[in-house]
Amino acid sequence: MLKNKAALPFLLLLAALSGHAQQTVTTIQLNQSGFYPYAPKVAVVTVPVSDPHFYIIKDRDTVFRGMLSEEKTSAWSATKTRIADFSAWTRPGSYRIYVSGVQPVNSASLGDSRNFIIGNEIHHAVGIASLKGYYYQRSDMPLEERFAGKWHRPAGHPDMQVLVHAGAASSSRPVGTVIATPGGWYDAGDYNKYIVNSGITMGTLLSAYEDYPDYFKQLKTNIPESTDAIPDILNEVMYNLRWMLTMQDPADGGVYNKCTNAAFDGMVMPGVTKAPRYVVAKGTTATLDFAAVAAQAARVLKPFAPQLADSCSKAAAKAWAWAKQFPALAYDQDKLNKMYAPAVTTGPYGDRYFSDEWLWAASELYLTTRDPQYFEVVQQHMSDKIKLPDWAEVSMLGYYSFLRSKDLPANTSGTVTLMRTRVLELANTYIERAGSSAFRTVMGQTARDFIWGSNSVAANEGVLLLNAYRLTRDRKYIDGALTNLDYLLGRNATHYSFLTGTGTQSPMHPHHRPSIADGITDPVPGLLVAGPNPGMQDKVRYEFTAPETAYIDHDQAYASNEIAINWNAPMVYLANAIEALKLPAGYVRKH
Ligand code: G3I
Ligand code: 9MR
């Protein structure tokens, strides 16, 4: 019987009163998509228990009994955890975990987790959904029902008549010149298109393909191009790439930072508002990110779309030449707004450090062309500090590309060895500390992990660890990556599986204009929300505010519950790479 009966009507009342009812929660956190038979399996109990055992139950029978770990208080909230490790149980099936004394609010019987699955290919659906998420972000084409299901909608912003903003005017394109810059994905919950954020996104997706080409060649996501001879992931990338190419000024090779409204659209469907669209100032980050993407795309697309690949090669070289003339031109939106009208108040992606973009662009250009001038620039940046990738920090993408490249000339070997050492050093610190965290995840080793878009930290750490695995074939790195996939899909202090449409409790109210305005209960699927962010810059009243719990499933909570293309990309990589690796039988590490 439910001991805390008195609380239940109150919770239900709260849920009914709130426009954004939090779903009920369980008190046993695990990857809601499931577990591979031959991989580590961990669940986390977050309430006091009366017996230190846990039981894995199939139908009504206990099939496995284990001891919970000692209780531990998390470093990033008051949450107390005990670990249930049932890695040794490998038989596929549908199960529950029972822990005595645990009282989930929403479960028929005490102490149960929701059902979970042990099986092969359990992240296949997650891999497909996260990639399909990009299709739903396409801006200028109708999403037809046969591809988009109930989320079908008309085309959004055509962007065939976009104004050159005063801050972007040049002699060949004076203020008010009209250009066409159609296509591309909407960045996030907003309807603008940003080159800087496309940079890391495209680099990550192209890298996923380069690392696992055979897997991606057979991965179908039911998009309009699925029947052609090009892998779906590349078709999706090409949709945004064609847009990116239109953002380069043919006169000088410089690339505009974004195609945008002056101010964010209201909470309406794409294309409803007809506010003027602008391309705004060119900048070094945008231009070098563009050069890197175009160079990598030239290499990857050559067998599939040789003409497009050729255009990309030329565009990359031209962008590089522009950047050499303007090696450190920041996009400073506040400053520009003081000088030009109209003021532009959409996302700035205003990066002020360019070394990492130089390294990444030089790397991709070198690996595609093998022209030594680019390698010289790579070498100039080898003493720069190296960080996990994010939209403003891209040198690691250059490292990854070098490390996957074959047949490199002998004179690059010292540099490549250094790159390898640095990637492995970072991977090793992740692995070494993971065991001591309250949720036993790599994610959450420092408070700084919980920034705006923290879920992309978890996903990018996973990608880094999988790169370490590719370099060493040491399975501890796969295990580490899996802890973060588990985190993203439910083994975390919020109880949420953070990808819309997955698991038993996922976000229902993302800050995503189509999901808000379409009148459909379920949000657009396959989109990774930002995740816990104690910054709470959206000023929504959060129920929980500690670093790892500062997340709310509220559609105005743009600081923790928006979605974005740069967060989805490492999720696409992580889920699909894990699937591609096909963890073999006999592989269960002791934890
Ligand atoms: O760089 C500082 C760092 O030095 C400091 O320690 C840290 C402490 O909070 O802040 C860092 O700056 C943060 C910056 O991102 C870099 O990560 C800012 O606080 C934070 O406000 C900023 O957030 C960005 C946000 O836009 C606001 O500009 C997010 O990274 C970025 O993902 C997000 O992107 C938006 C676009 O602008 C518009 N479209 C939607 C998209 C997703 O929300
Ligand atoms: O919807 C906008 C979202 O895409 C951005 O990430 C966020 C931060 O720049 O801003 C959102 O727009 C809000 C604006 O900043 C303030 N007024 C309310 C807007 C919608 O919530």
Side-chain angles (χ1 to χ4, degrees):
M1 232 182 72
L2 200 60
K3 220 179 171 184
N4 205 356
K5 232 180 176 174
L8 194 58
F10 174 68
L11 286 172
L12 291 176
L13 180 71
L14 257 187
L17 285 176
S18 153
H20 300 281
Q22 294 270 332
Q23 289 185 343
T24 49
V25 295
T26 72
T27 43
I28 300 176
Q29 271 65 256
L30 44 70
N31 181 333
Q32 297 167 19
S33 289
F35 300 92
Y36 294 109
Y38 298 103
K41 301 170 203 74
V42 164
V44 180
V45 179
T46 50
V47 286
V49 295
S50 53
D51 167 356
H53 292 98
F54 68 92
Y55 305 83
I56 305 292
I57 302 189
K58 172 123 194 88
D59 304 322
R60 286 171 176 213
D61 300 330
T62 298
V63 295
F64 183 90
R65 190 178 82 137
M67 284 287 275
L68 293 167
S69 72
E70 289 294 306
E71 189 177 81
K72 185 172 187 119
T73 302
S74 179
W76 315 121
S77 72
T79 309
K80 291 185 167 54
T81 66
R82 285 176 193 263
I83 305 295
D85 187 336
F86 50 104
S87 304
W89 182 255
T90 59
R91 191 170 301 158
S94 172
Y95 303 95
R96 290 173 295 126
I97 300 184
Y98 175 82
V99 179
S100 98
V102 170
Q103 297 169 29
V105 215
N106 61 333
S107 184
S109 56
L110 287 185
D112 287 342
S113 70
R114 293 192 176 125
N115 282 4
F116 68 88
I117 307 276
I118 297 178
N120 294 309
E121 301 182 1
I122 40 108
H123 295 111
H124 188 64
V126 173
I128 290 179
S130 54
L131 179 53
K132 181 75 175 268
Y134 289 91
Y135 168 71
Y136 291 108
Q137 292 295 100
R138 293 189 187 188
S139 60
D140 78 333
M141 60 189 282
L143 305 188
E144 293 175 50
E145 191 168 2
R146 61 198 163 123
F147 308 118
K150 63 182 169 186
W151 298 279
H152 64 94
R153 60 161 172 84
H157 300 72
D159 288 336
M160 289 303 287
Q161 295 190 312
V162 171
L163 299 166
V164 173
H165 189 267
S170 56
S171 55
S172 59
R173 287 182 169 180
V175 191
T177 303
V178 174
I179 66 167
T181 179
W185 305 307
Y186 292 129
D187 183 55
D190 62 332
Y191 292 145
N192 307 298
K193 307 185 291 190
Y194 307 79
I195 287 290
V196 171
N197 208 35
S198 275
I200 183 172
T201 306
M202 298 283 277
T204 304
L205 294 175
L206 284 163
S207 295
Y209 176 80
E210 282 197 289
D211 286 341
Y212 301 95
D214 295 336
Y215 170 86
F216 279 109
K217 277 178 186 154
Q218 50 75 43
L219 191 75
K220 294 286 178 202
T221 56
N222 186 31
I223 54 176
E225 306 82 6
S226 285
T227 48
D228 71 14
I230 301 175
D232 277 6
I233 188 170
L234 296 183
N235 275 317
E236 200 53 69
V237 158
M238 281 160 63
Y239 180 77
N240 200 56
L241 182 65
R242 290 199 169 96
W243 164 68
M244 289 181 79
L245 292 171
T246 68
M247 290 291 282
Q248 182 173 45
D249 182 350
D252 62 8
V255 179
Y256 303 107
N257 271 285
K258 55 180 169 175
C259 167
T260 185
N261 291 2
F264 287 114
D265 264 337
M267 295 297 154
V268 294
M269 288 300 280
V272 167
T273 53
K274 308 286 179 209
R277 304 273 277 180
Y278 299 91
V279 290
V280 306
K282 296 167 192 164
T284 306
T285 301
T287 303
L288 286 173
D289 282 351
F290 173 101
V293 168
Q296 189 177 12
R299 180 167 83 228
V300 175
L301 295 179
K302 204 167 176 190
F304 300 105
Q307 281 183 340
L308 181 60
D310 190 48
S311 306
C312 286
S313 288
K314 291 183 179 130
K318 239 179 142 169
W320 179 264
W322 185 93
K324 286 218 300 206
Q325 276 184 283
F326 301 95
L329 184 61
Y331 179 71
D332 185 341
Q333 194 156 275
D334 292 339
K335 192 170 138 202
L336 288 164
N337 283 343
K338 288 189 185 114
M339 296 161 65
Y340 305 105
V344 174
T345 55
T346 54
Y349 289 117
D351 179 25
R352 282 171 293 134
Y353 304 99
F354 310 99
S355 300
D356 53 309
E357 285 81 16
W358 279 107
L359 185 136
W360 182 34
S363 299
E364 300 301 345
L365 275 155
Y366 175 69
L367 294 168
T368 299
T369 65
R370 302 290 161 112
D371 180 339
Q373 64 155 318
Y374 299 119
F375 187 61
E376 276 172 33
V377 177
V378 172
Q379 285 176 300
Q380 285 161 20
H381 289 281
M382 284 309 290
S383 51
D384 298 351
K385 213 168 160 4
I386 178 92
K387 292 188 195 150
L388 194 69
D390 66 34
W391 59 260
E393 190 60 58
V394 290
S395 38
M396 191 67 89
L397 300 180
Y399 277 42
Y400 292 161
S401 285
F402 263 99
L403 291 171
R404 84 169 66 87
S405 295
K406 307 260 177 330
D407 310 320
L408 290 171
N411 70 322
T412 63
S413 73
T415 299
V416 176
T417 304
L418 189 54
M419 290 175 170
R420 180 191 153 97
T421 306
R422 286 187 183 153
V423 167
L424 292 181
E425 270 172 14
L426 194 50
N428 290 339
T429 56
Y430 291 164
I431 297 289
E432 281 155 21
R433 294 188 204 147
S436 61
S437 86
F439 283 80
R440 293 253 179 107
T441 56
V442 167
M443 175 61 181
Q445 295 185 356
T446 79
R448 284 189 308 277
D449 285 357
F450 299 101
I451 51 164
W452 191 321
S454 62
N455 282 339
S456 70
V457 174
N460 273 309
E461 288 173 343
V463 173
L464 182 116
L465 288 163
L466 292 179
N467 274 275
Y469 171 73
R470 287 168 56 81
L471 293 170
T472 59
R473 300 286 152 189
D474 185 336
R475 284 170 177 164
K476 71 180 179 198
Y477 297 117
I478 299 186
D479 290 357
L482 270 170
T483 69
N484 276 11
L485 191 53
D486 286 351
Y487 171 93
L488 290 164
L489 298 173
R491 190 169 119 205
N492 61 60
T494 73
H495 311 164
Y496 277 87
S497 169
F498 288 120
L499 189 74
T500 57
T502 65
T504 45
Q505 184 178 357
S506 57
M508 291 300 287
H509 309 282
H511 183 81
H512 180 244
R513 283 168 173 74
S515 297
I516 294 169
D518 63 8
I520 298 165
T521 304
D522 294 326
V524 171
L527 302 173
L528 187 69
V529 298
N533 170 17
M536 299 177 284
Q537 292 90 336
D538 46 50
K539 308 277 193 297
V540 169
R541 267 194 65 200
Y542 282 51
E543 193 180 352
F544 304 103
T545 57
E548 68 181 353
T549 56
Y551 166 75
I552 186 163
D553 183 18
H554 189 300
D555 63 24
Q556 286 171 41
Y558 56 74
S560 70
N561 208 30
E562 188 166 1
I563 64 92
I565 57 172
N566 62 317
W567 306 331
N568 250 63
M571 184 71 187
V572 167
Y573 188 115
L574 181 57
N576 286 297
I578 291 277
E579 280 291 302
L581 286 167
K582 296 223 173 300
L583 306 183
Y587 156 44
V588 179
R589 288 175 61 92
K590 231 183 129 29
H591 275 251

